[in-house]
């Protein structure tokens, strides 16, 4: 059972998420003030700010297992450096197939200078709204990894969430190691929205 202070922190995160998402809809759909308030309350009091995602994790070992994993993912309303940080395990659209999603480590964001280990390749700086994502498995060779080392920078707009908990099997599960800042922000969300039994049922159904 989460403490009162944890609930307050959770509701603060949920309110920020609801406001950000509602204002995003307002700009896109030109909502009236009444419609905007209705959307804010709907986002605030109905639903969660996490969802379950399933996928194999060979390239994200040891965080994920080679077989099917079930992840609890925190939704990101706007993909920018206010909501995601270098070191986070992010869920993003596959740059070569927008119907599929990948889990990769966020290694660099706009403004970072990227220097290759290959002296034949020139350094370059990530442009606005670009980021660099990498696989975690150290046993995979850079040129064989399906990440930014092979498909290049990706748009931050393609990032949809941050993995905060991973269930590999019914007896092997735990929080995902992310940046220190992200883990601090995600702790009240884990305390309130994490349901390992639900994750296990989802995992069993895969």
């Amino acid at each position: 059972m989460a403490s009162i202070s944890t609930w307050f922190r959770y509701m603060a995160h949920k309110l920020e998420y609801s406001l950000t998402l509602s204002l995003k809809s307002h700009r896109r759909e030109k909502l009236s003030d009444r419609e905007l308030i209705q959307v804010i309350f709907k986002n605030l009091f109905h639903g969660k700010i996490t969802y379950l995602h399933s996928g194999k994790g060979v390239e994200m070992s040891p965080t994920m297992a080679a077989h099917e994993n079930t992840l609890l993912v925190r939704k990101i309303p706007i993909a920018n450096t206010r909501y995601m940080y270098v070191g986070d395990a992010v869920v993003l659209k596959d740059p070569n197939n927008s119907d599929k999603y990948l889990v990769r480590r966020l290694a660099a964001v706009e403004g970072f200078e990227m220097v290759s280990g290959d002296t034949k390749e020139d350094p370059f700086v990530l442009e606005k709204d670009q980021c660099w994502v990498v696989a975690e498995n150290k046993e995979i060779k850079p040129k064989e990894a399906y990440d930014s080392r092979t498909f290049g920078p990706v748009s931050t707009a393609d990032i949809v969430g941050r993995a905060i908990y991973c269930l590999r099997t019914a007896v092997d599960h735990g929080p995902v190691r992310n940046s220190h800042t992200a883990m601090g922000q995600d702790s009240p969300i884990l305390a309130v929205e994490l349901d390992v039994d639900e994750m296990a049922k989802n995992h069993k159904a895969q």
Side-chain angles (χ1 to χ4, degrees):
M1 182 86 180
S3 66
I4 293 176
S5 62
T6 298
W7 269 100
F8 272 115
R9 290 172 59 208
Y10 168 72
M11 289 305 296
H13 282 294
K14 199 167 187 186
L15 177 60
E16 181 183 26
Y17 175 81
S18 301
L19 287 171
T20 305
L21 202 63
S22 300
L23 289 172
K24 190 177 177 182
S25 297
H26 178 56
R27 294 190 192 99
R28 185 176 63 247
E29 301 170 21
K30 308 288 187 195
L31 303 176
S32 67
D33 290 345
R34 183 177 180 181
E35 289 173 325
L36 177 61
I37 292 172
Q38 289 176 337
V39 172
I40 291 172
F41 274 85
K42 181 181 179 181
N43 289 332
L44 182 59
F45 295 109
H46 299 281
K48 298 179 177 181
I49 53 176
T50 60
Y51 67 95
L52 298 181
H53 170 79
S54 298
K56 295 182 179 180
V58 174
E59 292 183 303
M60 283 300 289
S61 175
T63 295
M64 297 170 65
H67 54 71
E68 205 73 25
N69 302 259
T70 297
L71 295 167
L72 183 67
V73 180
R74 178 179 177 173
K75 300 172 188 175
I76 294 177
I78 298 176
N80 60 31
T81 52
R82 182 178 176 182
Y83 297 102
M84 57 187 190
Y85 311 94
V86 170
D88 290 352
V90 295
V91 180
L92 67 149
K93 292 178 182 178
D94 186 326
N96 295 310
N97 185 347
S98 60
D99 292 330
K100 293 184 178 180
Y101 291 86
L102 308 173
V103 181
R104 296 291 184 268
R105 287 284 172 190
L106 183 61
V109 294
E110 61 180 70
F112 275 56
E113 183 179 22
M114 308 305 296
V115 180
S116 173
D118 186 344
T119 55
K120 295 179 182 178
E121 297 180 10
D122 294 329
F124 64 94
V125 176
L126 291 176
E127 298 177 3
K128 182 174 173 57
D129 298 327
Q130 283 189 334
C131 62
W132 194 265
V133 295
V134 296
E136 188 174 282
N137 192 336
K138 303 297 184 185
E139 294 181 6
I140 298 177
K141 296 177 181 179
K143 291 185 178 181
E144 296 175 358
Y146 191 59
D147 59 20
S148 287
R149 290 171 291 183
T150 53
F151 53 64
V154 296
S155 170
T156 54
D158 289 339
I159 296 176
V160 298
R162 175 168 58 239
I164 62 176
Y165 199 92
C166 181
L167 186 141
R168 292 166 285 275
T169 70
V171 294
D172 180 16
H173 53 83
V176 173
R177 176 185 54 80
N178 285 310
S179 65
H180 180 74
T181 302
M183 293 190 75
Q185 292 178 354
D186 296 337
S187 62
I189 295 165
L190 272 175
V192 175
E193 295 197 2
L194 175 64
D195 185 338
V196 176
D197 290 338
E198 181 187 359
M199 291 183 73
K201 287 178 184 176
N202 182 83
H203 189 76
K204 202 171 183 179
Q206 299 306 312

